[in-house]
């Protein structure tokens, strides 16, 4: 027995006091409606209607059951309408996760435009450089840099991320300009402790082979922004993406070196759980990210 269909048949018969009228409103046959009600009575072990040749009335059990099932069916209709409305327009609470530096420098300034475009969406943004499990932590969309390893998620590529090795003009004047990655062994290098292999910087030979270099330095930090400031003050080389140091490169306060030896294999992605039945709020946000940050050469990389 399809219990929901049986409940709907019973409720419609109770409302109309007629199997024929209930069948017409349900776009079914009188015999089918009668079978559903009979199956429901058999399952409950109780008669729901007094039936005579001239009248059809609810029994005491039927009246109580109708009062309860009417509320259930009304709640179900309301829930269906709510989901339909959510699917029709972007609205509701949207939980977003992003890396610290990218979140502060680029995502935060863009969110005002997103909220203005979609006034019925509420944003809950978390910035962290640790790995976040979207499903376990209830995140709708994450902005991530790197490759996707979780097959249960969907990644939409937004843009390429260009990395540079750079230092201040003052540091280069004092310590010299390296000509190959091996020259970094005699330089101060500012390392990011968020990276698994903190002191190993990876370059590539002109023929494409890996060229890892063990670097040293007196300072490390878990923040690219802090390392940028240290480099600006002449404390050594940093290996950072242009979305952090692009303005400094354009201004000449940092100077990039060894560009041909740096692998450019990072991407900026919008990551979210499976695309099946993707909600309008998630789709709207991912499309917005693609519009704002998409392209092979994003705005922060222009002339950097």
């Amino acid at each position: 027995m399809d219990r929901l269909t049986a409940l709907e048949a019973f409720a419609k018969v109770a409302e109309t006091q007629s199997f024929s009228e209930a069948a017409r409103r349900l776009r079914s046959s009188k015999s089918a409606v009668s079978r559903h009600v009979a199956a429901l009575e058999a399952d409950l072990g109780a008669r729901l209607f007094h039936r005579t040749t001239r009248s059809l009335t609810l029994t005491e059990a039927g009246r109580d059951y109708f009062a309860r099932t009417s509320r259930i069916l009304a709640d179900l209709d309301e829930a269906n309408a709510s989901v339909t409305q959510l699917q029709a327009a972007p609205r509701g609470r949207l939980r977003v996760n992003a890396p610290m530096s990218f979140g502060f420098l680029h995502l935060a300034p863009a969110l005002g435009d997103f909220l203005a475009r979609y006034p019925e969406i509420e944003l809950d943004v978390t910035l962290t450089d640790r790995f976040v499990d979207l499903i376990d932590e209830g995140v709708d969309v994450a902005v991530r840099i790197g490759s996707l390893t979780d097959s249960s998620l969907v990644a939409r590529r937004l843009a390429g991320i260009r990395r540079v090795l750079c230092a201040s003009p003052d540091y280069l004047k004092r310590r010299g300009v390296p000509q190959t990655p091996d020259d970094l062994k005699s330089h101060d290098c500012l390392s990011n402790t968020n990276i698994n292999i903190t002191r190993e910087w990876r370059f590539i030979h002109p023929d494409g082979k890996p060229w890892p270099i063990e670097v040293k330095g007196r300072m490390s930090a878990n923040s690219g922004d802090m390392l940028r400031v240290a480099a600006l003050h002449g404390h050594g080389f940093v290996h950072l993406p242009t979305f952090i140091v692009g303005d400094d490169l354009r201004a000449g306060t940092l100077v990039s070196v060894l560009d041909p030896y740096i692998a450019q294999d990072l991407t900026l992605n919008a990551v979210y759980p499976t695309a099946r039945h993707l909600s309008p709020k998630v789709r709207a946000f991912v499309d917005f990210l693609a519009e704002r940050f998409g392209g092979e050469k994003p705005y922060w990389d222009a002339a950097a």
Side-chain angles (χ1 to χ4, degrees):
M1 178 184 68
D2 184 336
R3 184 172 292 276
L4 179 58
T5 300
L7 287 177
E8 291 174 333
F10 161 72
K12 197 60 65 179
V13 172
E15 288 172 6
T16 61
Q17 297 185 344
S18 166
F19 280 91
S20 298
E21 180 60 19
R24 187 185 69 80
R25 295 190 185 185
L26 292 171
R27 297 183 180 180
S28 182
S29 65
K30 180 180 178 181
S31 60
V33 171
S34 180
R35 283 197 306 272
H36 289 313
V37 172
L40 186 61
E41 288 179 322
D43 185 65
L44 294 171
R47 291 186 64 84
L48 299 174
F49 293 100
H50 293 299
R51 299 170 176 85
T52 69
T53 56
R54 294 187 176 184
S55 66
L56 180 70
T57 58
L58 287 165
T59 63
E60 182 179 357
R63 286 194 299 273
D64 182 69
Y65 196 63
F66 178 57
R68 295 173 183 271
T69 57
S70 294
R71 291 195 297 270
I72 293 171
L73 292 173
D75 287 343
L76 181 60
D77 286 341
E78 184 178 346
N80 289 339
S82 175
V83 170
T84 299
Q85 289 173 357
L86 284 172
Q87 291 299 113
R91 59 167 61 102
R93 192 175 187 84
L94 181 69
R95 297 195 65 196
V96 177
N97 172 258
M100 294 289 290
S101 294
F102 188 86
F104 277 123
L105 296 172
H106 302 285
L107 183 61
L111 293 182
D113 290 341
F114 177 77
L115 290 172
R117 186 180 300 182
Y118 299 103
E120 295 185 75
I121 289 181
E122 298 179 8
L123 284 175
D124 181 354
V125 183
T126 302
L127 300 183
T128 178
D129 288 328
R130 72 174 176 84
F131 177 82
V132 172
D133 188 309
L134 272 63
I135 296 174
D136 283 353
E137 300 188 37
V139 175
D140 297 304
V141 185
V143 178
R144 285 187 179 168
I145 297 168
S147 57
L148 180 67
T149 57
D150 189 340
S151 61
S152 68
L153 303 176
V154 177
R156 179 171 173 180
R157 187 182 187 278
L158 302 175
I161 294 295
R162 188 164 74 89
R163 290 174 291 188
V164 294
L165 181 71
C166 55
S168 69
D170 175 66
Y171 179 89
L172 295 175
K173 183 178 180 180
R174 287 186 290 109
R175 302 289 297 273
V177 179
Q179 301 302 308
T180 73
D182 278 333
D183 295 338
L184 292 174
K185 295 175 182 178
S186 62
H187 282 274
D188 290 323
C189 296
L190 306 166
S191 299
N192 192 330
T193 55
N194 281 321
I195 299 173
N196 290 334
I197 307 176
T198 302
R199 294 293 185 181
E200 182 180 273
W201 288 5
R202 299 180 178 182
F203 299 90
I204 54 172
H205 284 277
D207 61 6
K209 294 181 181 178
W211 193 346
I213 298 294
E214 194 77 19
V215 298
K216 62 183 180 180
R218 297 174 59 200
M219 179 178 174
S220 59
N222 68 344
S223 164
D225 300 290
M226 184 173 182
L227 295 174
R228 165 188 168 266
V229 173
L232 286 168
H233 284 79
H235 297 311
F237 280 104
V238 287
H239 196 192
L240 291 172
T242 53
F243 68 74
I244 295 179
V245 295
D247 287 343
D248 304 309
L249 296 174
R250 283 185 287 271
T253 50
L254 290 177
V255 178
S256 66
V257 300
L258 302 180
D259 288 347
Y261 300 96
I262 298 175
Q264 302 299 343
D265 55 358
L266 292 182
T267 56
L268 179 71
N269 303 297
V271 180
Y272 48 93
T274 177
R276 188 168 181 261
H277 303 311
L278 188 63
S279 69
K281 64 183 179 182
V282 171
R283 188 182 303 278
F285 189 69
V286 172
D287 288 345
F288 175 82
L289 294 176
E291 175 189 316
R292 180 60 61 98
F293 304 126
E296 285 304 313
K297 195 167 186 179
Y299 66 85
W300 58 77
D301 206 25

